[in-house]
Amino acid sequence: MAAKPTTRRPLSTSSSFSCFVLFLCLVSLLLLALLFSAARPSVGSRYDDPLGEPTRDKNRQPCNYSDGAWVLDQDPVALRYDHTCKEIFKGWNCIASGKHNGRDLLRWRWQPSRCGFPRLDPLRFLRRFRNTNIGFVGDSLNRNMYVSLVCMLRSVSKGVRKWRPAGADRGFTFLDYNLTVAYHRTNLLVRYGRWSASDNGGALELLGIKQGYRVDVDVPEHTWAEAPSFHHILIFNTGHWWWAPSKFDPEQSPMLFFEKGLPVLPPVTPEIGIDLALKHMISYAERRAAKGARTFFRTQSPRHFEGGDWNQGGSCRRREPLLSHEVEELFSVEKNATNAEVRVINQHLYKALQRSSFQVLDITRMSEFRADAHPSTTGRKKHEDCMHWCLPGLTDTWNDVLMAALEDSTS
């Protein structure tokens, strides 16, 4: 008997429409999933917000940027700003001043040993730190770093307001981003000024001291006292002026330390005075810091005087970075090298910062190699300038370290 053929009954119009709607829903969900997958960054991507701002891999350990070497780039370097930036102090503008290696300085790139080290992108920096106040607090070496950052940012954003926020020596607000960058000048961080013996006598007068500089180790200098409550990011430094015999002559004009308004007795040396000042100023900055503020302390910037100190005919006329053994010859504490000051001061800094909330911005080791990067004879000073840095130049790399540290601290 022949099998009865199977008859397919046609779907009703309503059933067909329901299937079609279900099909469209499935296709729509699939398309949305594909779009979401394409928009979402892959593991390890450096971008995870709408502005494309750089962030760090959450599983990545912070890098030791101070461990590395200088590499000479053979290709032309893309400048983030040039010698025409008006904020560059004339004595630091090595290209405009005709320093023999002024342009060659920019071909040297710092390469950490165990990680990548992207350069600070000025436009991305402005976007990333919109509505942020950044303050550099310290001596002229921190101004060196401040000028570098300002010149980078001004190269991509022309709308600025020039002013002096919170007692600053100078500052700019980048109006399109409401980002303020300011420099607060202070040599010792603490208040100091001329002191002369009183006719009425006193504890110091009884010791036969007739004049000097009063240094209040627990009172911040007024130029930055309001900075911690104003800025969201702060970069501090101090060091060179604590070992400045031309200013604080131990015999003719010694540093006389005061605490709670009274002289520290018996009188102490600058080696002890800097410890007292750092203890009080770190505590002051922590107490006054705005909520969520990030505070950094930059390590000491090295000098590179060869053949004598600054007032003994010392010079810095190298054309390339130093080799490792040459670095040790210039900076060895054990051998009391001419420039050993940098490592001595760092010992005081690290000791003071041990239990603080500050993050150390270590630029010393990378900078010790760069004897070639000072203004030298083009610094327009009586003596060769082997302390400050050419701009553009090394302090651009310091700001790269700052940017990397800010990224690491938010990962």
Side-chain angles (χ1 to χ4, degrees):
M1 184 176 178
K4 186 177 180 180
T6 302
T7 304
R8 295 178 180 262
R9 293 197 306 174
L11 292 172
S12 67
T13 302
S14 60
S15 297
S16 298
F17 180 77
S18 298
C19 290
F20 180 71
V21 170
L22 180 60
F23 173 77
L24 285 180
C25 289
L26 289 172
V27 170
S28 299
L29 288 172
L30 181 60
L31 287 173
L32 285 172
L34 288 172
L35 286 171
F36 178 77
S37 177
R40 187 178 182 180
S42 60
V43 176
S45 170
R46 298 180 60 247
Y47 306 98
D48 64 3
D49 66 41
L51 290 176
E53 313 301 356
T55 58
R56 296 286 177 178
D57 182 351
K58 297 294 189 286
N59 298 318
R60 174 188 173 279
Q61 293 299 313
C63 174
N64 177 11
Y65 298 104
S66 65
D67 178 22
W70 288 98
V71 177
L72 181 63
D73 277 333
Q74 299 301 326
D75 297 327
V77 178
L79 295 180
R80 289 175 283 187
Y81 67 97
D82 63 23
H83 64 284
T84 62
C85 177
K86 295 181 180 179
E87 275 301 293
I88 302 177
F89 177 64
K90 193 174 294 184
W92 304 342
N93 199 329
C94 296
I95 294 176
S97 299
K99 189 171 189 283
H100 55 78
N101 67 335
R103 294 187 182 278
D104 291 339
L105 294 177
L106 309 180
R107 297 176 59 201
W108 290 97
R109 173 176 52 83
W110 181 252
Q111 178 57 60
S113 298
R114 296 177 177 83
C115 55
F117 187 45
R119 301 202 315 164
L120 183 154
D121 181 301
L123 185 56
R124 188 171 291 146
F125 188 95
L126 287 163
R127 290 172 174 170
R128 174 80 179 276
F129 297 106
R130 188 186 298 272
N131 302 320
T132 300
N133 301 330
I134 302 173
F136 291 84
V137 178
D139 58 31
S140 56
L141 275 303
N142 245 17
R143 179 183 171 185
N144 224 166
M145 186 178 180
Y146 154 83
V147 171
S148 163
L149 180 60
V150 166
C151 287
M152 287 190 209
L153 302 183
R154 292 203 70 176
S155 71
V156 295
S157 183
K158 306 300 182 184
V160 297
R161 173 194 175 196
K162 191 172 183 178
W163 63 307
R164 298 179 177 183
D169 182 68
R170 58 192 63 234
F172 289 92
T173 294
F174 294 85
L175 299 175
D176 291 340
Y177 303 91
N178 192 31
L179 167 64
T180 296
V181 184
Y183 164 62
H184 300 259
R185 180 178 180 177
T186 172
N187 296 325
L188 304 177
L189 294 182
V190 296
R191 186 178 68 190
Y192 74 96
R194 275 291 203 179
W195 179 91
S196 297
S198 170
D199 293 337
N200 298 324
L204 294 177
E205 288 85 348
L206 288 173
L207 295 174
I209 301 174
K210 301 192 180 300
Q211 64 180 4
Y213 281 88
R214 171 172 172 160
V215 181
D216 289 275
V217 296
D218 53 350
V219 181
E221 193 164 8
H222 72 280
T223 55
W224 73 273
E226 300 303 319
S229 59
F230 178 80
H231 293 291
H232 306 100
I233 299 170
L234 281 159
I235 304 95
F236 287 84
N237 98 288
T238 192
H240 288 293
W241 282 72
W242 291 90
W243 275 260
S246 62
K247 178 73 173 180
F248 306 115
D249 184 278
E251 299 296 330
Q252 301 301 319
S253 54
M255 301 175 86
L256 305 170
F257 297 101
F258 282 66
E259 190 172 24
K260 296 181 179 178
L262 300 172
V264 176
L265 296 172
V268 297
T269 63
E271 288 82 0
I272 295 175
I274 190 175
D275 289 339
L276 293 171
L278 286 171
K279 179 186 74 172
H280 285 294
M281 294 305 98
I282 290 169
S283 175
Y284 175 85
E286 289 179 325
R287 293 195 313 270
R288 298 293 299 272
K291 184 178 180 181
R294 282 171 277 184
T295 51
F296 297 88
F297 213 109
R298 178 180 60 72
T299 60
Q300 185 70 349
S301 173
R303 312 177 310 156
H304 286 91
F305 288 100
E306 297 187 72
D309 211 333
W310 68 274
N311 58 349
Q312 300 169 337
S315 63
C316 49
R317 302 185 187 182
R318 301 268 184 161
R319 289 179 176 267
E320 293 184 347
L322 299 174
L323 301 175
S324 294
H325 73 275
E326 293 173 319
V327 167
E328 291 311 307
E329 290 172 5
L330 284 183
F331 297 104
S332 172
V333 175
E334 293 74 16
K335 296 179 181 178
N336 195 28
T338 302
N339 305 282
E341 161 203 288
V342 62
R343 297 184 180 183
V344 173
I345 292 172
N346 277 350
Q347 291 172 1
H348 291 272
L349 294 181
Y350 279 107
K351 177 183 174 183
L353 294 165
Q354 274 182 352
R355 289 176 291 278
S356 76
S357 61
F358 277 71
Q359 184 173 345
V360 175
L361 203 65
D362 187 355
I363 54 82
T364 300
R365 181 61 177 169
M366 66 169 60
S367 305
E368 285 181 339
F369 289 96
R370 298 309 304 275
D372 59 319
H374 298 285
S376 185
T377 56
T378 61
R380 304 190 180 190
K381 291 189 173 185
K382 180 180 178 181
H383 306 283
E384 285 197 35
D385 188 353
C386 302
M387 176 181 291
H388 300 99
W389 304 98
C390 295
L391 289 174
L394 176 66
T395 51
D396 302 336
T397 304
W398 293 4
N399 280 309
D400 293 336
V401 175
L402 172 62
M403 183 66 207
L406 287 168
E407 291 187 8
D408 283 342
S409 67
T410 57
S411 61

